[in-house]
Amino acid sequence: MSVVVPVYQGEKTLPSLMREIAPFHVPSITPGGSSYAVTEVLLVFDHGPDRSADVIRELEAEYPFVRGVWLSRNFGQHAATLAGMASSGGDWIVTLDEDGQHDPSDIGGLLDTAMDQSASVVYARPTNEAPHGTLRNASSKGAKWLLAKVFGGENASEYQSFRLVLGSIGRSVAAYSGSGVYLDVAMGWVANRTATSPVLLRQEGDRRSGYSTRRLLSHFVRMVLSTGTRGLRVVSALGVIFAVLGVLMTVFIFVQRIIGGVSAEGWASTIVVILLSSGATLFSLGVIAEYIGVNVNMAMGKPPYVVVTDPANGPLGRKPTQNS
C-alpha cells in the first residue's frame, strides 16, 4: 500500500502524522481480516510558505519507507495528489491530508470496504462535521449537491481527500489527466465501482488553512468543467428560460399599455429587461470561455504538475566553494 500526502504547510503536523503511519509499515490485519502493509509514504512538496521541505528531508532520513516527491513550483493540492499517485508503486493508493484530521488507523476499514464490495475506489464518509467553519461546511455540501444534481457529477457527494484507490486505476488516471481535469471525476470515468467507509474526522493540527475563498471557488469550477458538457447544457437552458421570460414580459407590457396601466416612457421595464438579458449573456459567455480555456490549455500541453529532483541535492543546492 502506498500513502500519498500532498504537503503545503506540513512543518508542524507531518512528524506526528508519520509517527501514526509508521506502525503500519509492518504487516497489519484489518478488522475484516485482510493483511496489508504501508510499503511507502510519498510526501509531495508543493512549495508552501513554511519549513516543510526540511521536515520532509528529516523524515526521509528517519524512515526508510518515506520518499519526497518534489514539484517544480506550487501547483495546488489536486496536482500534488496526482503527482504522488503517478509516483507510487503499491497495489493500493491511500491519499490523506497533512493536517492530521484523517486517522491512519482508518485505512484498514477502507480496505475492508473495498474487498467486501469489490470497489476500486473507496471514499471516507465522515460521521461528524468537518473541523471547519459552519459557512465553509455548508458551502461544501451545497457545491457537491449542485454538482451532483445539476452538472451530472454522479458521486460528487462522496468526494473526499481521504480515499483508497486501486493502484492501477490511480496511476492511470494520474498519467492521462490534463491540467483542467478533476481527479475524482476522472476516476469516476474508469472505476468499476465506488464505495464509502465511515470515519471520524479529527481536529486539524496547529496550522492555517491553505484554502482561500478564491481557491475554493476555483476548485468547484474545475469540478464542474470536468463533468463534461453538462455546464454548456445548463447555459442553453438558461438562455431558453430568459427568452421565455422576455416573451412573457413583452406580452405583459403590451397588455398593460393597451389598458393604460403603464406610462408611455416605459423606461423602468426596459432597464429591467436589459439588465436581465445582458447578465444572462455575460454569464453564458463566461461559462463558454472557461470550457474553451480548459481545451486550449490541454491542446497546448500544459502539464498539471512537473516532478523534479530535490532542489537541495541538485544544482540549486550546490554551495559555492572558495578557491585555495
Side-chain angles (χ1 to χ4, degrees), residues 3-299:
V3 175
V4 173
V5 184
V7 178
Y8 182 71
Q9 295 181 106
E11 176 185 354
K12 298 180 179 180
T13 58
L14 280 179
S16 59
L17 177 62
M18 279 308 309
R19 285 193 294 270
E20 291 186 293
I21 295 176
F24 300 106
H25 179 56
V26 177
S28 307
I29 304 298
T30 69
S34 296
S35 177
Y36 75 100
V38 174
T39 54
E40 61 178 355
V41 177
L42 304 171
L43 304 178
V44 188
F45 178 60
D46 197 29
H47 292 261
D50 59 5
R51 292 184 55 258
S52 291
D54 294 332
V55 172
I56 291 175
R57 296 183 186 108
E58 293 168 1
L59 294 173
E60 282 183 311
E62 182 177 356
Y63 301 98
F65 56 91
V66 171
R67 178 158 57 98
V69 178
W70 306 90
L71 302 185
S72 60
R73 65 168 177 82
N74 173 253
F75 286 93
Q77 183 184 23
H78 174 263
T81 303
L82 285 174
M85 294 173 70
S87 304
S88 68
D91 295 326
W92 293 93
I93 302 171
V94 174
T95 66
L96 50 82
D97 291 346
E98 63 181 7
D99 54 19
Q101 70 170 330
H102 301 145
D103 189 344
S105 64
D106 289 327
I107 293 175
L110 298 181
L111 183 58
D112 281 339
T113 299
M115 302 302 289
D116 292 342
Q117 301 186 30
S118 297
S120 51
V121 180
V122 179
Y123 293 101
R125 186 180 74 251
T127 57
N128 60 323
E129 286 290 341
H132 307 302
T134 303
L135 179 59
R136 177 170 168 181
N137 287 336
S139 300
S140 177
K141 291 180 180 178
K144 290 178 179 179
W145 179 89
L146 187 65
L147 184 67
K149 301 300 182 181
V150 178
F151 295 101
E154 296 180 1
N155 302 313
S157 60
E158 302 172 354
Y159 294 166
Q160 294 287 335
S161 56
F162 189 15
R163 53 173 93 80
L164 174 73
V165 185
L166 196 63
S168 56
I169 294 290
R171 283 184 288 274
S172 297
V173 168
Y176 73 68
S177 290
S179 58
V181 177
Y182 186 70
L183 169 61
D184 294 301
V185 174
M187 287 195 298
W189 295 339
V190 296
N192 177 45
R193 180 177 298 176
T194 62
T196 62
S197 180
V199 301
L200 183 68
L201 295 181
R202 305 182 298 189
Q203 290 296 318
E204 295 173 313
D206 183 17
R207 60 187 288 279
R208 177 176 56 87
S209 174
Y211 278 100
S212 62
T213 301
R214 181 185 64 82
R215 296 186 74 172
L216 288 171
L217 181 60
S218 175
H219 192 64
F220 173 69
V221 170
R222 175 179 291 171
M223 286 195 293
V224 171
L225 297 182
S226 297
T227 58
T229 59
R230 183 67 66 89
L232 293 175
R233 296 173 188 171
V234 171
V235 169
S236 300
L238 185 65
V240 172
I241 291 173
F242 274 91
V244 172
L245 289 176
V247 171
L248 294 177
M249 179 69 76
T250 301
V251 172
F252 174 76
I253 293 174
F254 180 73
V255 172
Q256 290 294 312
R257 183 73 180 89
I258 293 177
I259 64 177
V262 67
S263 60
E265 292 82 2
W267 64 271
S269 56
T270 302
I271 291 298
V272 170
V273 171
I274 291 175
L275 290 176
L276 289 175
S277 59
S278 61
T281 301
L282 291 175
F283 173 77
S284 302
L285 289 175
V287 173
I288 295 171
E290 289 290 341
Y291 275 95
I292 294 174
V294 168
N295 283 276
V296 167
N297 285 334
M298 296 182 69

